[in-house]
Amino acid sequence: MHDWTVREVIQDDLDGIRGLFNIVWGYNRPWSFDHWRYFNGPYGSCPAVVALNGSTLVGFYTGLPTKIRVGREIITGIQSMDTLTHPSYQRQGVFVTLAEACYKAALGRGFEMIYGFPNPNSYPGFVNRLNFDHSGNIGDWVRPIRPSGYLGLPPVLGKAADFAALVWPKGTSMGFEVRIEKPAPAEIKVLLASWCEDLDACCIERTPEWLHWRYSPEAGHDYEWVMVLRAGKVFAAGVWGMRNSTWHQNADGRAHLVELFGTDPAGLEALLAAIIDRAWLRHAWVIETITNVRSVTAALRRAGFVRHRMAPFIIRALATRVLAGNIHDHASWRIMGGDIDTL
């Protein structure tokens, strides 16, 4: 028998959750970020549970609600997100117990599946004890911008690395007009229509409302829309950002490429060149993303990105009904940066 109990999260738990996060990870995210993400999402608050020993919070698990296109239908699911166990309560089944309690609560609210990108510590628990399917891996792509900003690089080497990054291939925006602004609603609609055209594909459903929430100022990443046009027509648009000063010492100088819309290769090349220039102006030392979309990975290669690792992609069905698409078919999934909560 253990000396802790489980219940669903209430907003008054936030300070305790943040205290446990600091114990586990050694830092905290901005309070406004945590409150925004846990309680103010476009599809409702996060299904979340805590473990308590008396009034002491010793465990936490949550998932981020999202709409997911599965073949010819759109369902509501969750992305597995924060999992925390107090060091003094390890090996007591806190993680597995909280996860199953969270999934039960999520299913009761109509969420039908869960996906995630586990770290090496949590991967065995998800796959071996929580019945997740490791369907395949998604590429993590990086490109140097100003490598001297990396703290582990000696100053002399930093200057040489910056010069190398400056002449690194990035493509060109020549022939396109670059605008640092969000496309008009009608243009967003056209771009979204091309995002997941394959009727048998699985992808995180992007809507104007979701995009507005996901890249809002509350995220603390100073997300920026960039679009490229020719003769007044939008050929491609994207979103990138960096942690801002609200993250204090954890504003790590990494730029995150989170959205890339468009199907025209020249347009995507021009867009990436413009985003790389914007990241250089904001003194990012690297820009990174995660994706398996073929048109995007081809554009990334042309812009000097390299795939430096593969991230495991895991899936579990929560509902028992047969869905319109096969969520376990890894080849059917289209994943882009904004689909992972850490970018």
Side-chain angles (χ1 to χ4, degrees), residues 255-267:
H256 301 142
L257 175 63
V258 287
E259 299 292 348
L260 211 59
F261 297 113
T263 57
D264 180 76

Side-chain angles (χ1 to χ4, degrees), residues 89-110:
Y89 290 78
Q90 298 284 350
R91 301 186 182 278
Q92 296 186 28
V94 174
F95 166 52
V96 172
T97 301
L98 290 183
E100 292 290 13
C102 183
Y103 305 157
K104 182 178 179 180
L107 183 59
R109 288 174 52 184

Side-chain angles (χ1 to χ4, degrees), residues 230-251:
R230 179 182 285 163
K233 177 186 176 182
V234 177
F235 272 69
V239 182
W240 76 284
M242 296 171 60
R243 291 178 179 177
N244 61 27
S245 60
T246 63
W247 288 75
H248 302 295
Q249 71 271 21
N250 296 297

Side-chain angles (χ1 to χ4, degrees), residues 195-210:
W195 163 244
C196 199
E197 292 180 307
D198 185 351
L199 295 179
D200 294 320
C202 298
C203 61
I204 306 308
E205 179 71 357
R206 280 149 169 78
T207 65
E209 294 76 20
W210 182 86

Side-chain angles (χ1 to χ4, degrees), residues 78-145:
I78 57 175
Q79 177 191 172
S80 181
M81 203 163 52
D82 294 338
T83 173
L84 305 170
T85 301
H86 193 285
S88 299
Y89 290 78
Q90 298 284 350
R91 301 186 182 278
Q92 296 186 28
V94 174
F95 166 52
V96 172
T97 301
L98 290 183
E100 292 290 13
C102 183
Y103 305 157
K104 182 178 179 180
L107 183 59
R109 288 174 52 184
F111 299 111
E112 297 191 88
M113 69 159 287
I114 181 168
Y115 77 94
F117 300 89
N119 63 43
N121 292 330
S122 61
Y123 176 89
F126 280 114
V127 174
N128 298 331
R129 302 187 65 189
L130 290 169
N131 199 32
F132 274 77
D133 173 23
H134 178 184
S135 69
N137 300 311
I138 309 295
D140 190 306
W141 298 79
V142 299
R143 187 197 185 281
I145 304 292

